[in-house]
Amino acid sequence: SLVRCLRSDAAFALHSKTRQMLFSCLTASSVVVAPVPRRAALAIGAATASLRPQAACAAVEAGASPASAMTLGTILESTSALPGTTRAPASLVLRPEYGIESADVLYPEWALGRWAARSTLRSVLAPAGDELFSPGRNGTEALRRARLEAGTALEYPVKWIQPGGRVVVDREYNVASISRATMGPEAVQDARADGPDHLTMVLRPAGAPSGSLFSADLRVVGRRTDPYPLAERPNFFACAETTRQTVTTVAGERAAPGPPRAPLIKEIETICTYELDSRDSRVMRGQQRTASFLVPDAGYTGDPSLAELAASRLARAPNGRIMAVDVRVYDVTYTRL
């Protein structure tokens, strides 16, 4: 589900909060990395082993239950229960291995219709270490600033529709809605979905340099749904999508001169849970967890050999699997409109 993926300083020439928003608001399901200077990337890559969180390494080496053996709901609730300043066990934050397991996420009938969503940031985690929270910038400072936003809420309308008799998320509507809520009422210049696996947007965020436009391309690369309904929680539903997000600067007539910036790329897994209030069908509550992963892609730095070097050594667990560098948990309440 594509509803929370355009939230993530200098790459867009925007202040840090606006840039963060550019990579956490398009999945419904969240941050693009600035290009890494060659010297910094080489230094970080060489030091990766010393930056890996001890707790995460211990979890993997001790044989902790892999995420693939847990339900999506369990992964999210286990992450949510962690103290806000801890480092999540690697078993909870490894890059997902599932692919696209269904043509779309099919929601329960009770989700159908329009809802007012109120999303509150609960916690921000740095599983790969504070230093790697934001490669190319001061990761420790970026993490500190991100955690200052805990407890802040964002409100926006969302809806689920029923084409062909099956309830699915209205991707274009929801993505545009949350983008306007985070980046300004005039931020969305265009939004088009050509199916459940691909959506493109043209954005002009409030506060961006005059004449600047950004193109956002979101492509689903993984999708999974937990078994539903559960005997013990009949109104509980959990799903996840992993989306490769590419943001490109589009030169406007008054945009700054110079060569075009390299695309900024990340993969973000968003796990969502929903539970209808058993006493009031006009209310449902849930959580969202976004986990951002560095992408071994030439677009990451614009230098293929450097990209391979940095990506192969950054944010990996002892077993070689890529770990998330940025994990955020949100509490969400939906009220039927």
Side-chain angles (χ1 to χ4, degrees):
S1 46
L2 295 170
V3 179
R4 189 183 280 288
C5 43
L6 274 175
R7 291 181 191 176
S8 180
D9 67 15
F12 293 132
L14 303 174
H15 56 76
S16 60
K17 183 176 180 180
T18 302
R19 183 168 174 248
Q20 174 62 31
M21 291 191 305
L22 266 175
F23 259 88
S24 2
C25 76
L26 284 182
T27 51
S29 25
S30 75
V31 199
V32 171
V33 225
V36 180
R38 177 179 294 272
R39 182 175 298 178
L42 291 172
I44 293 173
T48 301
S50 65
L51 296 178
R52 290 175 183 156
Q54 294 179 356
C57 294
V60 172
E61 292 167 354
S65 298
S68 58
M70 295 185 279
T71 65
L72 298 170
T74 299
I75 294 171
L76 197 161
E77 292 176 350
S78 297
T79 307
S80 177
L82 294 171
T85 57
T86 192
R87 290 178 179 175
S91 57
L92 291 177
V93 294
L94 296 176
R95 189 180 187 184
E97 294 184 311
Y98 57 82
I100 298 178
E101 298 182 349
S102 60
D104 203 346
V105 176
L106 303 181
Y107 291 83
E109 292 283 336
W110 43 259
L112 181 63
R114 296 180 67 247
W115 302 77
R118 181 180 176 84
S119 174
T120 304
L121 179 61
R122 181 187 184 96
S123 60
V124 181
L125 307 174
D130 298 4
E131 301 91 341
L132 298 183
F133 181 76
S134 182
R137 295 190 292 159
N138 184 330
T140 301
E141 176 62 14
L143 177 60
R144 185 191 69 82
R145 292 186 180 184
R147 285 176 171 166
L148 289 177
E149 297 185 14
T152 60
L154 185 70
E155 297 181 351
Y156 50 92
V158 293
K159 67 178 178 179
W160 282 261
I161 56 179
Q162 196 172 28
R166 296 185 173 185
V167 179
V168 297
V169 70
D170 188 330
R171 296 172 186 272
E172 286 186 16
Y173 179 90
N174 289 4
V175 169
S177 175
I178 194 171
S179 298
R180 294 188 182 102
T182 55
M183 291 180 281
E186 306 300 323
V188 180
Q189 304 295 300
D190 189 37
R192 299 183 185 185
D194 55 10
D197 298 338
H198 187 226
L199 183 145
T200 59
M201 298 187 75
V202 177
L203 300 163
R204 190 193 299 273
S210 179
S212 294
L213 288 174
F214 304 98
S215 172
D217 182 281
L218 294 91
R219 185 170 297 278
V220 175
V221 297
R223 177 182 293 123
R224 170 170 286 184
T225 303
D226 273 354
Y228 171 85
L230 301 174
E232 66 276 16
R233 298 175 73 177
N235 290 329
F236 179 83
F237 180 78
C239 60
E241 284 188 342
T242 301
T243 306
R244 175 171 284 219
Q245 302 166 29
T246 304
V247 172
T248 306
T249 301
V250 179
E253 60 178 354
R254 289 175 295 175
R261 298 180 184 274
L264 303 175
I265 304 171
K266 262 201 175 181
E267 283 185 1
I268 299 176
E269 180 194 40
T270 303
I271 303 176
C272 301
T273 62
Y274 308 85
E275 190 159 23
L276 189 68
D277 192 314
S278 60
R279 296 171 296 180
D280 187 351
S281 62
R282 297 170 300 174
V283 177
M284 63 179 175
R285 299 177 180 85
Q287 291 186 310
Q288 295 178 343
R289 191 200 81 161
T290 60
S292 301
F293 301 88
L294 304 181
V295 177
D297 191 287
Y300 173 59
T301 60
D303 182 332
S305 61
L306 179 56
E308 293 172 4
L309 174 63
S312 66
R313 297 182 178 178
L314 283 171
R316 289 182 181 266
N319 62 1
R321 292 271 301 278
I322 295 176
M323 292 200 312
V325 295
D326 179 342
V327 173
R328 308 185 188 210
V329 178
Y330 302 82
D331 296 322
V332 190
T333 299
Y334 304 87
T335 305
R336 191 180 293 279
L337 296 174

